[in-house]
Amino acid sequence: MEATGTDEVDKLKTKFISAWNNMKYSWVLKTKTYFSRNSPVLLLGKCYHFKYEDENKLLPARSGCTIEDHVIAGNVEEFRKDFISRIWLTYREEFPQIEGSALTTDCGWGCTLRTGQMLLAQGLILHFLGRAWTWPDALNIENSDSESWTSNTVKKFTASFEASLSGERELKTPAVSQKETIRRYSDDHEMRNEIYHRKIISWFGDSPLALFGLHKLIEYGKKSGKKAGDWYGPAVVAHILRKAVEEARHPDLQGITIYVAQDCTVYSSDVIDKQCTSMASDNTDDKAVIILIPVRLGGERTNTDYLDFVKGILSLEYCVGIIGGKPKQSYYFAGFQDDSLIYMDPHYCQSFVDVSIKDFPLETFHCPSPKKMSFRKMDPSCTIGFYCRNVQDFKRASEEITKMLKISSKEKYPLFTFVNGHSRDYDFTSTTTNEEDLFSEDEKKRLKRFSTEEFVLL
């Protein structure tokens, strides 16, 4: 009886924290982001110019971004469509309880897992849809004004708190209208793209069965000593994503793998071995690979000498973004303008969406408003991601990035390196893992070191 009473207290506490976090994290999208018309905007390798053309033409109010001097032109709409098409994964509430805890929300602790999901989602978009793909309905998303957001937040907080006190489950309402997706597609190719668009999002659903959902990632994180409610660093998340992709048994995912750099070093032969390993003996095609490189851009603070390199990385079309942020607050960096980084923010608590139902609403998985942050405010600890479709792409990318590293390093050591050979050739212990022990002892030691975000500074 006492245990039951304790469980009820824990559940009530969790619901109250969820309601409070929902109010706290509902303010993040209200401020407008200003873009200069004099500088190009880079978004995951694509360049946009907001040049002076028509000084009477204003950016639509619903876009959430404003061009300085009230002037837009060029391809602002194309930029908006491209940005909104990226998959946005945020805090959620009232999802199925996480095993081993009373948690039904990740508000306040799951931001790095969410930014890791966004990076992986971009890699999957490149893999299945290509960089040129944009969501046809992207510009139909409405960005609610501050007043309606504020009133809705207060109502939601009050309803949630009252439901917690009465022991009833709060009725969920959609953040935006759930319009029917009965759209007619112009051809089979467009229909195929929409099928993959939905499929990719469903893999990140907040349920125990979703391949890359929060529940699965937390389960893999347990192998490295993490649990639900803990704060996850970008390096730990990189290894968790690798395990999630390796353990995914979906037929569509057998042609892609993830490699995580060891101590800021990418061992080319190890990458190629992963790309050439196929579960089917008759399949000789190279696997695509997402390369994740945990790095540190300085000591206590980010070293501004690395700014040009970070901008160079985000200028590459095969870059899938950066898991980074401010201290203890993770963002998904996807572009830049001048010395400011463009990012998507997971710190907005939205209601659980059941992605297993047919035609589930897509709106809450796409961010209507870009945000910017000065590079100087960036936390030095981050993970950089790249996508390579085959071995040839990997070799070309490693050569291109190596040149960038040499230019940016000047008299310093580079942030990371590509070297020929296997890690075992450099006296690294290489042990295989099985399904019962997802992380080798060597990996566990490395993850524990990463979890404190201690890096060797050269």
Side-chain angles (χ1 to χ4, degrees):
M1 189 71 180
E2 186 178 344
T4 304
T6 304
D7 289 343
E8 289 301 319
V9 171
D10 287 343
K11 288 180 181 178
L12 180 60
K13 189 186 296 183
T14 299
K15 285 185 177 181
F16 179 79
I17 292 172
S18 172
W20 169 252
N21 280 329
N22 185 66
M23 183 175 74
K24 177 180 177 182
Y25 294 116
S26 292
W27 296 80
V28 295
L29 297 180
K30 291 194 204 89
T31 56
K32 286 188 176 181
T33 301
Y34 287 84
F35 288 87
S36 170
R37 64 180 173 83
N38 299 316
S39 306
V41 174
L42 270 293
L43 182 70
L44 295 169
K46 283 201 169 186
C47 183
Y48 296 91
H49 291 272
F50 305 151
K51 292 182 179 178
Y52 179 90
E53 275 188 6
D54 181 359
E55 60 182 39
N56 296 317
K57 189 178 180 183
L58 296 176
L59 197 66
R62 66 180 181 179
S63 70
C65 56
T66 304
I67 305 302
E68 288 179 3
D69 299 331
H70 306 288
V71 179
I72 67 158
N75 38 25
V76 171
E77 290 299 291
E78 286 88 344
F79 166 72
R80 286 190 58 229
K81 189 170 185 179
D82 191 8
F83 176 84
I84 294 172
S85 297
R86 302 313 107 203
I87 293 176
W88 183 43
L89 297 156
T90 71
Y91 288 156
R92 297 276 174 173
E93 63 169 352
E94 298 297 339
F95 52 62
Q97 188 170 313
I98 297 171
E99 186 179 355
S101 77
L103 293 168
T104 57
T105 178
D106 61 319
C107 279
W109 57 270
C111 57
T112 315
L113 291 171
R114 295 300 187 180
T115 54
Q117 286 179 319
M118 286 189 259
L119 182 144
L120 177 56
Q122 178 59 20
L124 295 174
I125 284 179
L126 290 184
H127 185 65
F128 292 107
L129 302 174
R131 182 62 187 90
W133 173 83
T134 55
W135 183 34
D137 289 331
L139 296 180
N140 294 330
I141 286 189
E142 294 182 2
N143 192 15
S144 302
D145 61 30
S146 299
E147 185 179 352
S148 63
W149 279 41
T150 304
S151 59
N152 180 61
T153 298
V154 172
K155 289 176 184 176
K156 201 168 185 182
F157 174 77
T158 305
S160 181
F161 184 53
E162 289 175 349
S164 298
L165 292 176
S166 63
E168 298 174 356
R169 185 182 179 88
E170 173 190 359
L171 291 174
K172 299 187 293 290
T173 55
V176 293
S177 60
Q178 294 185 5
K179 61 182 182 182
E180 292 292 327
T181 53
I182 317 176
R183 139 182 202 91
R184 291 180 179 271
Y185 293 94
S186 58
D187 54 36
D188 291 341
H189 178 70
E190 201 168 307
M191 178 63 78
R192 171 201 171 275
N193 285 350
E194 186 57 21
I195 289 171
Y196 269 109
H197 174 211
R198 285 186 168 274
K199 186 180 290 187
I200 291 169
I201 290 176
S202 72
W203 288 334
F204 295 92
D206 294 307
S207 72
L209 296 178
L211 295 175
F212 310 127
L214 196 74
H215 296 69
K216 271 282 197 293
L217 300 186
I218 289 169
E219 190 62 34
Y220 294 131
K222 289 178 181 178
K223 307 293 183 179
S224 63
K226 292 289 185 181
K227 64 181 186 299
D230 287 350
W231 190 83
Y232 295 70
V236 172
V237 169
H239 285 272
I240 291 174
L241 293 177
R242 174 178 61 81
K243 279 299 172 188
V245 171
E246 287 178 354
E247 296 301 312
R249 295 292 178 256
H250 195 287
D252 287 342
L253 294 167
Q254 300 315 300
I256 188 168
T257 187
I258 286 185
Y259 172 88
V260 181
Q262 300 181 43
D263 297 316
C264 303
T265 305
V266 177
Y267 294 92
S268 297
S269 296
D270 288 343
V271 177
I272 294 170
D273 284 353
K274 287 179 77 74
Q275 290 185 274
C276 295
T277 301
S278 175
M279 294 180 69
S281 57
D282 58 340
N283 186 356
T284 58
D285 294 338
D286 300 344
K287 281 187 177 183
V289 64
I290 296 174
I291 299 170
L292 300 179
I293 308 172
V295 296
R296 195 166 179 91
L297 305 175
E300 292 296 318
R301 295 182 179 179
T302 297
N303 188 334
T304 54
D305 287 345
Y306 292 122
L307 172 60
D308 288 340
F309 176 73
V310 170
K311 290 163 71 171
I313 290 297
L314 293 170
S315 301
L316 303 171
E317 282 206 4
Y318 50 84
C319 174
V320 292
I322 298 173
I323 305 170
K326 296 189 290 191
K328 298 296 180 181
Q329 197 171 20
S330 186
Y331 300 141
Y332 170 61
F333 295 115
F336 68 90
Q337 184 181 48
D338 296 322
D339 293 347
S340 293
L341 298 172
I342 297 171
Y343 65 93
M344 287 198 287
D345 191 347
H347 301 89
Y348 176 55
C349 191
Q350 302 190 89
S351 297
F352 165 71
V353 173
D354 185 355
V355 297
S356 66
I357 64 174
K358 186 179 180 182
D359 293 332
F360 63 88
L362 297 170
E363 290 91 341
T364 63
F365 295 99
H366 291 278
C367 182
S369 176
K371 300 193 75 177
K372 288 170 71 177
M373 183 190 84
S374 169
F375 178 77
R376 295 174 183 274
K377 295 181 180 179
M378 183 181 179
D379 188 279
S381 177
C382 63
T383 290
I384 299 169
F386 305 99
Y387 168 84
C388 302
R389 187 167 293 279
N390 48 42
V391 171
Q392 186 178 356
D393 273 3
F394 166 68
K395 290 179 177 178
R396 183 165 57 246
S398 62
E399 290 176 3
E400 185 174 2
I401 296 168
T402 297
K403 289 178 183 176
M404 290 175 58
L405 285 163
K406 287 180 179 177
I407 294 171
S408 66
S409 62
K410 298 177 183 176
E411 296 180 359
K412 305 185 299 293
Y413 285 98
L415 271 178
F416 57 89
T417 58
F418 289 82
V419 300
N420 295 322
H422 298 87
S423 59
R424 63 174 177 265
D425 300 334
Y426 296 84
D427 294 326
F428 279 91
T429 305
S430 179
T431 56
T432 57
T433 61
N434 55 46
E435 291 185 15
E436 297 177 0
D437 185 17
L438 294 177
F439 291 93
S440 68
E441 290 303 315
D442 186 53
E443 287 176 315
K444 287 177 183 176
K445 290 177 183 176
R446 190 178 300 121
L447 283 170
K448 283 181 181 178
R449 178 162 59 83
F450 279 142
S451 68
T452 60
E453 299 305 325
E454 292 176 358
F455 289 77
V456 177
L457 298 179
L458 300 178

